[in-house]
Amino acid sequence: MKRLGIFLQFALLLLLVPISWDALNSIGQAQHRDARALDYLKAAKDADAKNQPKLAISAYQQVLSLKPDDDDARLRLTLLQCKVSAEEPASLTATSARALALRLKTLGLAAKDGPEVAVALAQIQLLDGRSALAHAAFEKAGVAYPKSGLVQFVLGKSRLFQGDTAAATDALARAVKINPENSLYRSVLGKTLHSQGKWARAEVELLAAAERREDAMVRLMLGEAQLKLKKADAAIESLHRAQGLIKEPGQRARALAALGYAQYSAGRMRDAIASLSESHRLKASDQTKLNLALSYQAIKDHKRAILLFKTALENRPLDGTNHVNWVRSLIAVGQRITAQQVYLRLKQRADSHPQLKPHLSLMSKLVEMNERTP
């Protein structure tokens, strides 16, 4: 009987071992999931703190794949998706907009629940074709959340969309003041100032944006602003980097044209000729031709300069400055009669275009001086 009891205990132990092993294995897997979820949660918070919302979104999605019931992670994920959709409207499609609106509704979130929600709801309205309501919602959010860089940034873009550049600049400047390390906010403010010809302020913002994140168009516009401010060496550096980053032919031609003029301004004529020639090859432009003509003129290659001035000025009959430059090259190679003909054509136009008279006066002196030369 005693042996039977021992046998039964042993049999029971054999039955319980697999159950205990499965339980221990399940506990181990759960602990492993929790540890991974904590790692992803830390990564999400770190990315969020560094203003890297897309990385944070990816990390929060991993958290939820491991812990589907984590309501805090789900809320933060939704708010980050709201932020990204507001900062980068192109990332929001009609389908994703409907999905985001549904998640906000499910979570019971409205504009009063935070700046991210307010701008996301307005962005969804804009994508849905309700532009008047959307822009009104952006303005309302700007009043409700004056200290939110996100709201001020999106408000600025809304005003740009409506053509109110001055008010847009004010909102974008507030966004940068609130979040000075945000390269996106600085780049949009810099581009807006660039479009208004406010070169000194544009240079400050575009340079700050470029220092935080490399961007080809930011570098290009920075170089153009520096060129306008007569900072040729700084412009050459910015534009050289820009043309190396840009792949689209039209924009690369623009960068090379600006680079070439910067090199011309700095007295680097051979470099200027190379850059301007490549720009013209990519995209023909009368202005690029004229700058190329000036570069050849500077190295006394007047025959090439004359051909370029002639073809470029066919479409620019009122460009008095470059008609004078054309005459200079004509006289330099002894084409006095052609120079006089150019002068007479400009003189005829001056009767109906008084702005040509100062150039006509200078051209007259050049032609007369040539006539008196023995």
Side-chain angles (χ1 to χ4, degrees):
M1 195 70 172
K2 185 177 181 180
R3 288 181 181 177
L4 181 59
I6 293 171
F7 176 77
L8 289 173
Q9 287 177 0
F10 181 71
L12 183 60
L13 180 62
L14 289 175
L15 289 172
L16 289 175
V17 164
I19 297 172
S20 301
W21 176 255
D22 288 343
L24 288 171
N25 189 44
S26 297
I27 292 169
Q29 288 178 346
Q31 289 175 338
H32 181 63
R33 280 197 305 271
D34 289 345
R36 288 181 63 201
L38 282 173
D39 288 341
Y40 280 120
L41 186 61
K42 183 181 182 301
K45 290 179 178 179
D46 288 346
D48 197 2
K50 293 176 182 176
N51 193 37
Q52 297 174 324
K54 291 182 180 178
L55 286 176
I57 286 171
S58 178
Y60 276 120
Q61 287 172 335
Q62 292 295 332
V63 172
L64 289 171
S65 71
L66 295 165
K67 298 183 71 176
D69 297 329
D70 191 332
D71 293 335
D72 289 339
R74 191 174 303 281
L75 174 61
R76 192 58 203 151
L77 170 63
T78 303
L79 293 177
L80 282 167
Q81 289 170 329
C82 288
K83 180 181 180 181
V84 170
S85 70
E87 289 183 341
E88 302 177 25
S91 67
L92 197 65
T93 64
T95 302
S96 61
R98 285 192 294 269
L100 182 58
L102 181 60
R103 283 199 298 276
L104 292 172
K105 186 176 180 180
T106 303
L107 292 168
L109 296 174
K112 63 181 177 58
D113 294 312
E116 299 96 334
V117 181
V119 293
L121 289 171
Q123 193 68 48
I124 290 167
Q125 287 179 320
L126 190 62
L127 194 64
D128 200 34
R130 294 174 289 167
S131 57
L133 286 174
H135 293 305
F138 286 131
E139 292 291 340
K140 188 176 179 180
V143 174
Y145 302 104
K147 295 183 179 181
S148 167
L150 172 65
V151 169
Q152 297 304 317
F153 171 71
V154 177
L155 175 59
K157 291 185 70 177
S158 170
R159 289 172 175 175
L160 277 178
F161 185 83
Q162 297 176 88
D164 193 346
T165 308
T169 302
D170 290 341
L172 292 169
R174 287 195 297 272
V176 167
K177 187 176 180 180
I178 295 165
N179 296 109
E181 295 302 314
N182 192 302
S183 61
L184 175 62
Y185 297 176
R186 282 191 177 274
S187 66
V188 175
L189 175 58
K191 290 174 182 178
T192 303
L193 292 165
H194 179 286
S195 70
Q196 299 172 74
K198 296 180 178 179
W199 306 117
R201 287 185 64 195
E203 183 195 20
V204 171
E205 298 303 335
L206 291 167
L207 182 58
E211 287 172 346
R212 287 161 175 79
R213 185 182 66 178
E214 191 64 272
D215 181 279
M217 289 307 296
V218 168
R219 285 284 176 190
L220 170 55
M221 291 186 171
L222 171 60
E224 290 174 337
Q226 290 167 329
L227 193 52
K228 291 288 185 180
L229 294 168
K230 302 188 185 305
K231 298 180 179 180
D233 290 335
I236 288 170
E237 182 181 349
S238 297
L239 293 165
H240 183 74
R241 292 177 71 171
Q243 65 86 24
L245 293 168
I246 296 171
K247 303 301 179 187
E248 197 277 317
Q251 293 297 346
R252 190 157 188 272
R254 173 181 165 182
L256 284 164
L259 174 60
Y261 189 71
Q263 290 164 331
Y264 166 79
S265 301
R268 294 164 54 176
M269 299 307 163
R270 295 294 180 186
D271 290 339
I273 288 168
S275 298
L276 292 165
S277 298
E278 178 63 10
S279 173
H280 192 265
R281 186 189 70 79
L282 291 169
K283 185 177 181 181
S285 161
D286 288 334
Q287 186 59 57
T288 303
K289 272 187 185 179
L290 289 172
N291 291 337
L292 196 51
L294 290 170
S295 300
Y296 278 119
Q297 188 180 64
I299 62 171
K300 302 188 184 307
D301 189 343
H302 293 290
K303 289 185 178 180
R304 289 186 182 179
I306 287 167
L307 289 172
L308 289 162
F309 279 129
K310 184 178 185 298
T311 55
L313 290 173
E314 286 174 355
N315 300 319
R316 301 173 71 133
L318 302 181
D319 186 342
T321 299
N322 281 303
H323 273 82
V324 172
N325 289 325
W326 184 12
V327 166
R328 288 184 192 278
S329 282
L330 287 167
I331 291 171
V333 295
Q335 295 186 25
R336 181 175 60 84
I337 294 174
T338 306
Q340 289 174 337
Q341 290 171 345
V342 172
Y343 165 71
L344 290 172
R345 283 199 298 270
L346 203 69
K347 188 176 181 181
Q348 290 176 339
R349 294 175 197 140
D351 293 334
S352 52
H353 300 283
Q355 72 270 26
L356 291 175
K357 290 183 178 179
H359 305 290
L360 194 65
S361 176
L362 178 57
M363 195 183 294
S364 173
K365 291 175 183 178
L366 289 170
V367 173
E368 287 173 4
M369 283 173 62
N370 184 257
E371 286 176 343
R372 292 171 187 167
T373 303

